[in-house]
Amino acid sequence: MKFQSYYKMLAPQTANENCVAHNGSLIPIPGRDVMVQSWYQGGISIFDWTDPAHPKEIAFFDRGPIDGTQMGNAGTWSAYWYNGYIYSSEIGRGLDVLELQPGGLISANEIAAAKLVHLDYFNTQDQPKLTWPASFVVARAYVDQLERSSGLSAERLKAVRQELARAEKSHGQARRDALTQLATALGQDASASSDRAKVEKLTAVVTELVNTAATGAQ
């Protein structure tokens, strides 16, 4: 193993707030490594470490100190993603339930794709394998990531989105043909892309959708 980087939450803390990294979990966004972490009275920080040498915060929630005049026992003890929401156990102020909102660093499609992962039981220490069903929203999440990384040109991304929309509105053989044509074109895109791995992941999802259409599943 090779050391890559540290991650420290960005928000400054007062002398009356205990702040240290505590319990957290992964957020199942396909194609990215994103984690929600509790920091006691530092609140909650959500950070992307897909590139482990350059982790960065993409969202946060902070209640502030429980007492602005003296140190108190409070703060988020744990923050876990579970079936679409973040549940935070706040020692002094009860339970916080949070929902991600789209912004410049996380798209609506990525959030919707994460919500496709459903677990009947969750213990983050078990580290369950995260899988996503074949879905148009998962494909769109990868397209959003390619836009963010400039992995494909703006013109090509627009065309891919249009082709996905056309395929989704189609049925039967028409859907299979549209998806097969898109998968073939994406395979050609990959060799010239600056984010080849992501194009290949998108191609794999589109290919899964072809197979799903062939069996008649939606």
Side-chain angles (χ1 to χ4, degrees), residues 141-158 160-161 185-203:
Y142 282 126
V143 175
D144 292 346
Q145 291 167 21
L146 283 165
E147 180 176 27
R148 198 177 294 121
S149 69
S150 299
L152 293 174
S153 69
E155 182 179 359
R156 184 67 186 120
L157 288 167
K158 180 180 178 180
V160 171
R161 287 185 170 115
L186 287 169
Q188 297 170 350
D189 290 333
S191 61
S193 173
S194 60
D195 195 350
R196 178 170 183 164
K198 192 59 60 65
V199 178
E200 289 174 344
K201 288 182 178 181
L202 172 58
T203 305

Side-chain angles (χ1 to χ4, degrees), residues 176-217:
R176 291 194 294 273
D177 289 346
L179 290 169
T180 300
Q181 182 180 356
L182 177 56
T184 300
L186 287 169
Q188 297 170 350
D189 290 333
S191 61
S193 173
S194 60
D195 195 350
R196 178 170 183 164
K198 192 59 60 65
V199 178
E200 289 174 344
K201 288 182 178 181
L202 172 58
T203 305
V205 173
V206 174
T207 301
E208 282 187 83
L209 286 168
V210 174
N211 297 332
T212 300
T215 62

Side-chain angles (χ1 to χ4, degrees), residues 43-182:
I44 295 168
S45 179
I46 297 173
F47 60 97
D48 183 321
W49 53 284
T50 307
D51 177 359
H54 301 93
K56 60 184 177 182
E57 186 174 71
I58 61 175
F60 70 91
F61 174 78
D62 186 4
R63 280 180 171 270
I66 192 168
D67 187 331
T69 63
Q70 60 184 345
M71 178 68 74
N73 183 27
T76 175
W77 170 266
S78 62
Y80 299 137
W81 170 277
Y82 182 65
N83 295 343
Y85 296 91
I86 293 167
Y87 296 88
S88 168
S89 254
E90 218 283 3
I91 297 169
R93 290 168 282 198
L95 181 71
D96 291 318
V97 181
L98 305 141
E99 184 175 16
L100 282 174
Q101 297 296 316
L105 297 175
I106 185 170
S107 73
N109 289 316
E110 289 174 307
I111 295 170
K115 290 182 176 182
L116 292 177
V117 177
H118 180 88
L119 299 171
D120 293 332
Y121 167 83
F122 178 63
N123 180 345
T124 189
Q125 280 73 30
D126 290 342
Q127 299 183 32
K129 183 177 181 179
L130 302 174
T131 59
W132 296 264
S135 168
F136 282 94
V137 76
V138 174
R140 291 192 178 96
Y142 282 126
V143 175
D144 292 346
Q145 291 167 21
L146 283 165
E147 180 176 27
R148 198 177 294 121
S149 69
S150 299
L152 293 174
S153 69
E155 182 179 359
R156 184 67 186 120
L157 288 167
K158 180 180 178 180
V160 171
R161 287 185 170 115
Q162 290 174 339
E163 291 161 20
L164 281 171
R166 179 167 62 89
E168 189 172 19
K169 292 176 182 177
S170 303
H171 300 279
Q173 188 62 46
R175 174 177 285 189
R176 291 194 294 273
D177 289 346
L179 290 169
T180 300
Q181 182 180 356
L182 177 56

Side-chain angles (χ1 to χ4, degrees), residues 9 13 17-23 37-44 61-64 73-78 90-91 93:
M9 61 169 290
Q13 302 300 301
E17 294 176 278
N18 57 318
C19 176
V20 64
H22 210 247
N23 298 326
Q37 182 84 52
S38 60
W39 294 80
Y40 289 94
Q41 288 188 72
I44 295 168
F61 174 78
D62 186 4
R63 280 180 171 270
N73 183 27
T76 175
W77 170 266
S78 62
E90 218 283 3
I91 297 169
R93 290 168 282 198

